[in-house]
Amino acid sequence: MMDSVQVRVDAGVMTLRMNRADKKNALTRAMYSRMAEALREADTERSVRAVLITGSEQCFTSGNDVADFLQAPPSGMDSPVFQFMQALFELQKPIIAGVAGPAVGIGTTLLLHCDLVYVSQNAVLKMPFVNLGLCPEFGSSLILPRLLGPARASELLLLGESFSGEQAAQWGIATAALENGAAALTKAASAAQRFTQLAPSAVADSKRLMRTPGREELRQAIEAEGDLFIRRLRSPEALEALSAFMQRRQPDFSRFN
Ligand code: COA
């Protein structure tokens, strides 16, 4: 069987490629663990100068595997999904994302913690947490209202509206939108490669300077969101929404107060 996450180090760039096409690259616990381990390796391995995270030209990721959410929801900060996001949040080296097709849930959230994000114009980004009976995760409830203003952030986080790669670039969630998936992935790979020509500690120092203001507040938001997310995953509302997804029907929230 093909690895559902391919990890490769080539000429100073570590590439993490989500590779589970039959499930639109839905992320399982095993995939998060593999990516967390790779990110920790990237930070300590001297030869790695940048990390590239990507999927295929058709799909970035459909987000957390919904079956996993039902069968083995994360129970604490040591759960694979938190380990992965924590490793991403702490990474001292630059991280570049190449995004084509759907980037759902954590597929959009993780972009908020990347340094450079190249998307295809017709990529479809979406954070349907409320739609699933959940709540925003990993800093998005703090970052997005600041970046977009509360009115637009509410449309994305409360209604779970999808938006295009082109909009993501206009709003500053992405660095640039490219004409198609192949162009987005190529641009992301070449940006990652450029870091191999730069002074590594100057890059790390500069990244740290940009990320330090407000970091403590962000940590607190991440913790509060994480606690609530874990509780909400066990709520009747979430169980209804997640089961509805698996059964290919619309959720019915009419019985909830
Ligand atoms: N978890 C588990 N399985 C998923 C999945 C997810 N997040 N996303 C897609 N899949 C599965 C589907 O169940 C389907 O499986 P099947 O072929 O065994 O029935 C397969 O992947 C293909 O998905 P499908 O929905 O038929 O493809 P599509 O091209 O019509 O739509 C998406 C693709 C990504 C737009 C759609 O699958 C989607 O919106 N998924 C997001 C689920 C979600 O809410 N994720 C956020 C979790 S926080």
Side-chain angles (χ1 to χ4, degrees), residues 24 27 32 60-66 69 81 84-85 102-113 124-132 134-138 140 144 156-157 160-163 173 229:
K24 306 283 171 185
L27 292 163
Y32 288 126
F60 188 61
T61 171
S62 59
N64 201 100
D65 187 289
V66 172
F69 262 166
V81 57
F84 163 63
M85 287 302 285
V104 186
I106 198 164
T108 292
T109 306
L110 74 84
L111 303 178
L112 305 175
H113 300 281
V124 180
L125 296 89
K126 195 176 178 180
M127 291 167 286
F129 298 115
V130 170
N131 315 60
L132 290 170
L134 300 170
C135 65
E137 54 169 7
F138 231 87
S140 52
L144 286 174
L156 306 187
L157 289 177
E161 290 269 303
S162 60
F163 55 105
I173 292 172
F229 196 94

Side-chain angles (χ1 to χ4, degrees), residues 2 8 43 47 67 70 137-138 143 163 170 186-187 192 206 220 225 240:
M2 296 277 279
R8 211 175 96 189
D43 242 356
S47 63
L70 280 166
E137 54 169 7
F138 231 87
I143 296 169
F163 55 105
Q170 277 162 8
T186 303
K187 178 77 181 169
S206 303
Q220 284 168 17
E225 289 166 331
E240 163 58 15

